[in-house]
């Protein structure tokens, strides 16, 4: 069955369907391969999937980059419809779909020649951890970051160059350990021609579900969350999700 035919069913059956075409606004900071530069090829699998689902339901996506904290604030207030790449800890007040849109695995990175290995919070003693302000890294690590002794954590201001700046702190040895999503970090290392300069020194926490989350300020948020939920199921069933993920070198996090 052709992809368009499957989605024709969703347009008619999905509870979130609308007779009027909407322009759904999505904002986030760049977090490739989840979401990258608007209009790039590839653009990030979450954006590509969202565009496919919106189109199948007669809508369009207005996707732009915005600093992370500002993105959460804009979606929370209703000025923007949805946010991509969010965990439930990042933005608990937003409307989340029932199924996740991926898995984020935060790991510890050090320079390749650094023998240090992460063995829980006590092993961070004597290290300077580089993090990005406003990001959630899991309850245990978040608590450590909040209570750490002065000089033990280097927090990078949240902006569109945050990850690049974080990496530079390790390269210049102003920090010794960086925590970041493994998919995002390796994509950035490749972009900066730094593959081989870093190694994984351990997992920071168990993988977390990431979502496209929508505004709680109006009924649109619930409608769009339900639409994206139904649409993701259809993308997976048709095989189109597998194709989208393959363009980014990824596999289905649900193991299908």
């Amino acid at each position: 069955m052709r992809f368009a035919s499957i989605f024709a069913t969703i347009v008619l059956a999905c509870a979130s369907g609308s007779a009027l075409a909407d322009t759904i606004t999505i904002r986030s900071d760049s977090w490739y391969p989840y979401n990258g530069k608007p209009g790039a090829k590839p653009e990030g699998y979450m954006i590509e999937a969202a565009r496919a689902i919106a189109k199948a339901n007669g809508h369009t996506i207005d996707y732009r980059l915005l600093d992370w904290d500002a993105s959460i604030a804009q979606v929370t207030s209703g000025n923007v419809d949805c946010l991509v790449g969010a965990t439930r800890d990042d933005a608990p007040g937003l409307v989340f779909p029932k199924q996740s849109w991926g898995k984020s695995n935060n790991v510890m990175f050090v320079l390749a020649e650094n023998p240090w290995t992460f063995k829980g919070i006590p092993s961070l003693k004597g290290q300077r951890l580089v993090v990005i302000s406003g990001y959630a890294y899991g309850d245990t690590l978040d608590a450590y970051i909040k209570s750490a002794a002065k000089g033990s954590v280097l927090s990078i201001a949240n902006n569109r160059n945050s990850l690049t700046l974080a990496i530079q702190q390790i390269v210049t040895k102003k920090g010794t350990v960086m925590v970041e999503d493994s998919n995002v970090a390796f994509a950035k290392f490749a972009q900066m021609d730094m593959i081989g300069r870093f190694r994984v020194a351990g997992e920071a926490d168990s993988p977390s579900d990431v979502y496209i989350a929508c505004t709680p300020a109006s009924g649109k948020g619930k409608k769009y969350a339900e639409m994206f939920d139904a649409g993701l199921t259809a993308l997976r069933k048709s095989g189109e999700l597998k194709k989208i993920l393959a363009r980014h070198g990824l596999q289905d996090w649900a193991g299908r």
Side-chain angles (χ1 to χ4, degrees), residues 110-113 170-172 189 193-199:
V110 296
L111 290 174
E113 63 270 21
I170 303 298
V171 172
T172 58
F189 293 154
D193 196 24
M194 287 190 176
I195 294 293
R197 293 288 304 276
F198 291 81
R199 70 172 184 85

Side-chain angles (χ1 to χ4, degrees), residues 27 68-97 211-218 221-222 225:
R27 300 290 182 269
W68 183 243
D69 290 339
S71 296
I72 294 175
Q74 289 291 301
V75 176
T76 300
S77 68
N79 290 330
V80 171
D81 295 319
C82 300
L83 172 77
V84 292
T87 68
R88 292 185 181 275
D89 289 337
D90 285 322
L94 301 187
V95 180
F96 286 79
Y211 299 85
I212 181 166
C214 301
T215 182
S218 71
K222 184 175 184 293

Side-chain angles (χ1 to χ4, degrees), residues 88-227:
R88 292 185 181 275
D89 289 337
D90 285 322
L94 301 187
V95 180
F96 286 79
K98 293 179 180 179
Q99 59 182 322
S100 82
W101 275 52
K103 291 282 187 181
S104 173
N105 188 22
N106 284 323
V107 302
M108 299 293 189
F109 288 96
V110 296
L111 290 174
E113 63 270 21
N114 185 343
W116 179 85
T117 299
F118 180 65
K119 296 179 179 179
I121 296 300
S123 66
L124 287 169
K125 184 177 181 180
Q127 303 298 320
R128 194 175 196 201
L129 179 66
V130 179
V131 301
I132 296 175
S133 175
Y135 280 15
Y137 296 104
D139 292 343
T140 301
L141 193 56
D142 286 346
Y144 168 78
I145 293 168
K146 186 176 181 180
S147 63
K150 185 177 180 180
S152 298
V153 174
L154 176 56
S155 183
I156 303 298
N158 190 294
N159 58 55
R160 298 179 196 184
N161 296 313
S162 297
L163 182 53
T164 298
L165 294 173
I167 291 171
Q168 290 173 347
Q169 303 312 301
I170 303 298
V171 172
T172 58
K173 300 186 178 180
K174 293 177 181 177
T176 58
V177 184
M178 180 185 77
V179 58
E180 183 53 84
D181 174 276
S182 58
N183 290 327
V184 174
F186 280 116
K188 179 61 74 170
F189 293 154
Q191 183 187 63
M192 297 175 70
D193 196 24
M194 287 190 176
I195 294 293
R197 293 288 304 276
F198 291 81
R199 70 172 184 85
V200 174
E203 293 190 354
D205 203 351
S206 300
S208 299
D209 290 317
V210 291
Y211 299 85
I212 181 166
C214 301
T215 182
S218 71
K220 290 194 304 180
K222 184 175 184 293
K223 180 182 77 169
Y224 294 148
E226 290 175 349
M227 181 191 75

